[in-house]
Amino acid sequence: MSKQIFICGCEKDGKIEKESVQKLRSTLEEKNIGYTYIEDMCGTILKNPDDLESLYTAEDAIVFGCQARAMQHLVDNSGKKIEKNVTEYHHVEDENQEEVISQLESNTGEPLKIKYTDSWKPWYPVIDYERCNGCRKCLNFCLFSVYSVEDDGTVVVSASANCKDMCPACARVCPQNAIIFPKHAESPIDGGEGDGTENEKTDILEQIQNEDVYSVLSARRKNFQVSLLKNDQFKMAEEERRACCSGPDKKEEVKEEEKCDCDCNCKEEPESKCDCKDGDSNSSCC
Amino acid sequence: MSFGNDLPQHPEKLKQIRDLIRDYAAESELVPPLQEEEVIFHSGELIQKHPELFLYQKLLAVMINNYAWSNIVAGIPFNRRILLLPKCISHSTKCPAKYDELGLLCEQCGLCDLAGIISQADELGYHTIVSEGTTSASLLLSSGQVECVVGVGCLHSFERSFPLAVKEAVPSIAIPLYNNDCKDSKVDRIWLDEVLAVRNESNWKGWINLDTLKTLVKEWFATDKLIALFGENDPTIDIAINWMEKDGKRWRPLIMVAVYDAFTGKSGEYDETIQKLAVSIECFHKASLVHDDIADEDDERYGKPTLHKEYDVPVALNVGDLLVGYGYQMIAESGAKHIRKLLKVASHGHRDLSLGQGEELLWRSNEKLLTQEEILRIFSNKTSPAFEVALQFGAILADANEDVQQIISNYSKALGIAYQIKDDLDDFRQDSIASGFNTVQPSLVSTLLNKKHPEKMQEWFDRMQKGDTSIATEFLQWDETKEAMKATEEMLVEYKRNTLKSLKPLKHPTLKILLTRLLNRIVPES
């Protein structure tokens, strides 16, 4: 059984480069590798789940699209995929894409297409259950009742369509960084690895509920301004360092290198006829 | 775009509509907070006068509500105002800002309009939040501490947050974005700048921080304070003081002081007169609890033995009587200006409470299900007087006129009913209903159940009479019971609405705001 290939184009106000998707499709077509193009997996999975039957039942599949983690949990959250089946997920701009493609069988059929025609932009959260610890912060935080709790205590996304377009605020509140918005512009909310700073959660939401709101807000503003200032200072320091390495100091070093130990005049102003020189270069003494 | 959702895309046109509303509002006195129905009514009136505005129905509603608040907002210092901006104003791809849980931390890089708006707000002294979604806004609104909000957002988000803003009665002005698509949004700067800078003297008496007030009021019930008022070295007095001092939310004294503050704006200054009256109200309340517990044969209150369980019935009865006496003594010795008025209110409250209780007690002995009307009357008589006495005391202390007293009376009636309906529903939300229902306590839920499914009620009654204890749990799981609960929930909403409706003629904004907030505190959403 050959691997089945799926590509998500993230077409509905999506975030991945159209060109990269097109390039991948062309490559596959040139090699005569059959694939299924999904216009928008977030949309289809919710609105027309039956269209993705081939993905759920594929014994061995590769999906190209946005962040691998985002797609994996998007599909897993649907609960429809047959668990024992193997599915690999890759970003369309994955570095080792060539290698992955080189291992695929060719002549596996014509490209197929799964359309997404709904006008609704599929913007909703996906829960990474490997990280979620069921704290329910998102549930209490979301105004639009997107989340609910199952009888066994699992937090689930039960009203995806209620989610407010472009609002990833619950993901920022999540202490485990377990909430993914595949269409969000930044990592780690989009399912990427992030830069580590996202783990520094503050307890500002609790503070505004339990302490004097105005003092909390003033303190927040002040802290932020201090951090901006620090940032500026840091930038300045960076620039200074760079200036140190490539600026006048460095030139002096270079100049020194040109100087030789002897007492000849080329120390100050290079003289081509000086004894210490070997031809045009000053290799003999410097 | 659907009808009524439109927004003119030019500042001149927006200004024109704003001026129109100013003229309209000048004729009809708008006292905030307006209820949703009122806002809709006024925008309808405006459209009738200016049919071409029908495209802007929602905008009109926002503007009318703004206008109602404008005078109050102008009276609030800049540093007590919060400016809520939406994240979607920021540059959708190039914004360098980071976020915390409250929202975007703007670096004022100048790529979007936020930089300019924030510097202006900073200069004036505003606290600015650039929020993502509306959750941080709602957290702020429901904190009970925020005194004023100037909010920028799309008409869609205002629709969502309007009910909350009404419920919490936070003085607020909303400025809609030109677009609704959550990306690279623009706001009318002329309008926003005008609103931001507005500052006038007004009839605003200041925000009443109920939490701070509560802490303060609680201190008046410390043992040494009560000893100073009641005396000591007498075992009966000791029991009374102990009972007074024990637990309780001090709702009624808090209400009295809050109403007084709403009139006078003198938050934090309370002389002996006020303190004695606060204690008198609590005396009446605590006395009624002692007697109630005896009548209902309750063994526990606040998770501890009731007074007649800790001692015995005669002792408890007597302590209740003693507290009634102290209550009237505190009024007489308060030194208040209108002692006669206060006595009239207190004694009428006392009388009505006993009549309400009386109807219930006499009904109990004949084991007949009450009708809906009878139940609502009992609910009102049993609970409204206690709220009313507290509210009227605050108003009388502040020299309020008869009109206000009448409004307070109507408000209390509806509030009492809403409170009891909520209480009734809460009993049904437990795991089981202990004391045979609707034989000891009138219940709207079981009355509605009986009305629609008499056979179910009969089944329950028969099984209970046979001593079947499992019915107490099973009863709550019936679909018919759940259906009756649902109908009761709808009635709760209706009575909460009635409570707010009673405030419509009130001309005093600070009091209107307070009473709106109190409803939400006394009868919270479940």
Side-chain angles (χ1 to χ4, degrees), chain B residues 102-175:
Chain B
L102 261 189
L104 180 144
L105 297 160
C106 177
E107 295 183 12
Q108 292 177 273
C109 66
L111 278 172
C112 68
D113 290 343
L114 284 175
I117 300 172
I118 293 174
S119 357
Q120 199 204 344
D122 271 356
E123 222 163 275
L124 291 166
Y126 276 81
H127 301 267
T128 306
I129 293 173
V130 185
S131 68
E132 205 174 28
T134 43
T135 310
S136 43
S138 60
L139 274 177
L140 283 169
L141 286 176
S142 50
S143 72
Q145 293 186 54
V146 171
E147 298 170 25
C148 176
V149 172
V150 175
V152 177
C154 55
L155 284 174
H156 173 77
S157 71
F158 290 157
E159 240 180 314
R160 291 264 192 178
S161 52
F162 186 73
L164 188 72
V166 172
K167 214 169 74 179
E168 302 292 340
V170 177
S172 51
I173 290 190
I175 301 173

Side-chain angles (χ1 to χ4, degrees), chain B residues 138-269:
Chain B
S138 60
L139 274 177
L140 283 169
L141 286 176
S142 50
S143 72
Q145 293 186 54
V146 171
E147 298 170 25
C148 176
V149 172
V150 175
V152 177
C154 55
L155 284 174
H156 173 77
S157 71
F158 290 157
E159 240 180 314
R160 291 264 192 178
S161 52
F162 186 73
L164 188 72
V166 172
K167 214 169 74 179
E168 302 292 340
V170 177
S172 51
I173 290 190
I175 301 173
L177 292 164
Y178 278 122
N179 47 338
N180 271 334
D181 39 15
C182 307
K183 220 173 172 180
D184 300 314
S185 310
K186 293 275 176 212
V187 62
D188 178 4
R189 282 296 299 274
I190 301 172
W191 185 2
L192 177 60
D193 290 354
E194 194 184 302
V195 168
L196 283 180
V198 94
R199 181 78 176 93
N200 283 316
E201 283 306 308
S202 78
N203 55 348
W204 173 238
K205 299 283 184 191
W207 186 254
I208 296 167
N209 190 323
L210 292 169
D211 295 311
T212 321
L213 210 52
K214 199 172 200 169
T215 319
L216 195 99
V217 167
K218 275 194 173 164
E219 288 170 16
W220 303 345
F221 296 91
T223 314
D224 55 333
K225 295 257 180 184
L226 292 172
I227 288 176
L229 293 174
F230 294 176
E232 60 185 326
N233 296 329
D234 179 289
T236 309
I237 295 179
D238 289 347
I239 298 174
I241 287 177
N242 197 3
W243 180 246
M244 278 288 284
E245 195 241 319
K246 195 154 71 183
D247 299 299
K249 299 185 192 107
R250 315 289 182 214
W251 261 121
R252 290 151 189 85
L254 171 71
I255 290 171
M256 181 195 93
V257 178
V259 169
Y260 174 76
D261 276 357
F263 278 105
T264 59
K266 285 183 195 154
S267 195
E269 295 170 31

Side-chain angles (χ1 to χ4, degrees), chain A residues 147-162:
Chain A
Y147 298 94
S148 62
V149 181
E150 307 252 277
D151 288 341
D152 65 355
T154 317
V155 177
V156 293
V157 179
S158 56
S160 316
N162 280 3

Side-chain angles (χ1 to χ4, degrees), chain A residues 13 121 140-144 162 164-169 172-173 184-186 189 195 197 200-205 207-218 220-221 224-225 228 231 235, chain B residues 79-82 87 92 95 97-108 118 122 127-130 132-136 138-140 143 145-148 154 156-157 160 164 181-183 209:
Chain A
D13 207 358
K121 175 183 170 186
N140 300 326
F141 184 79
C142 178
L143 260 193
F144 305 106
N162 280 3
K164 177 105 175 67
D165 189 17
M166 307 288 280
C167 171
R172 295 192 206 285
V173 171
H184 193 264
E186 299 158 30
I189 293 178
D195 60 3
T197 55
E200 299 161 12
K201 303 263 175 200
T202 61
D203 50 358
I204 192 144
L205 289 181
Q207 281 175 25
I208 62 168
Q209 288 172 88
N210 303 322
E211 294 166 35
D212 177 62
V213 166
Y214 293 95
S215 327
V216 173
L217 291 180
S218 297
R220 174 182 183 248
R221 178 90 181 127
F224 172 62
Q225 275 165 340
L228 268 192
N231 236 347
K235 266 187 207 150
Chain B
N79 65 2
R80 305 306 283 174
R81 302 188 196 175
I82 290 177
K87 171 234 166 185
S92 60
C95 174
K98 292 210 176 339
Y99 294 80
D100 69 2
E101 291 97 317
L102 261 189
L104 180 144
L105 297 160
C106 177
E107 295 183 12
Q108 292 177 273
I118 293 174
D122 271 356
H127 301 267
T128 306
I129 293 173
V130 185
E132 205 174 28
T134 43
T135 310
S136 43
S138 60
L139 274 177
L140 283 169
S143 72
Q145 293 186 54
V146 171
E147 298 170 25
C148 176
C154 55
H156 173 77
S157 71
R160 291 264 192 178
L164 188 72
D181 39 15
C182 307
K183 220 173 172 180
N209 190 323

Side-chain angles (χ1 to χ4, degrees), chain B residues 322-357:
Chain B
L322 178 63
L323 285 175
V324 173
Y326 275 137
Y328 283 105
Q329 184 193 332
M330 291 301 124
I331 299 174
E333 292 176 357
S334 66
K337 203 159 90 186
H338 307 287
I339 287 187
R340 203 183 292 177
K341 270 192 181 177
L342 293 169
L343 281 173
K344 189 177 161 190
V345 166
S347 55
H348 278 211
H350 222 131
R351 180 199 63 194
D352 293 344
L353 193 86
S354 300
L355 291 178
Q357 187 73 2

Side-chain angles (χ1 to χ4, degrees), chain B residues 292-403:
Chain B
D292 234 27
D293 287 341
I294 298 170
D296 293 349
E297 297 173 33
D298 281 330
D299 297 344
E300 277 192 4
R301 180 172 288 278
Y302 315 124
K304 289 166 200 153
T306 48
L307 208 56
H308 68 277
K309 279 285 151 192
E310 194 179 339
Y311 301 93
D312 55 28
V313 173
V315 168
L317 276 174
N318 184 53
V319 169
D321 289 342
L322 178 63
L323 285 175
V324 173
Y326 275 137
Y328 283 105
Q329 184 193 332
M330 291 301 124
I331 299 174
E333 292 176 357
S334 66
K337 203 159 90 186
H338 307 287
I339 287 187
R340 203 183 292 177
K341 270 192 181 177
L342 293 169
L343 281 173
K344 189 177 161 190
V345 166
S347 55
H348 278 211
H350 222 131
R351 180 199 63 194
D352 293 344
L353 193 86
S354 300
L355 291 178
Q357 187 73 2
E359 187 173 2
E360 185 182 324
L361 294 174
L362 292 173
W363 153 77
R364 241 183 245 176
S365 55
N366 60 26
E367 289 194 347
K368 181 175 90 34
L369 271 172
L370 292 162
T371 65
Q372 193 173 316
E373 292 69 34
E374 287 167 326
I375 291 220
L376 291 178
R377 192 172 62 232
I378 292 178
F379 276 2
S380 174
N381 283 342
K382 263 176 64 174
T383 319
S384 306
F387 288 127
E388 180 165 357
V389 170
L391 292 162
Q392 299 287 21
F393 268 38
I396 291 169
L397 264 174
D399 298 321
N401 61 29
E402 293 286 327
D403 291 350

Side-chain angles (χ1 to χ4, degrees), chain A residues 26-33 98 101-102 105-107:
Chain A
S26 311
T27 314
L28 293 177
E29 280 164 34
E30 274 163 28
K31 298 192 175 196
N32 246 331
I33 301 171
E98 261 179 57
I101 295 176
S102 68
E105 262 177 68
S106 57
N107 297 320

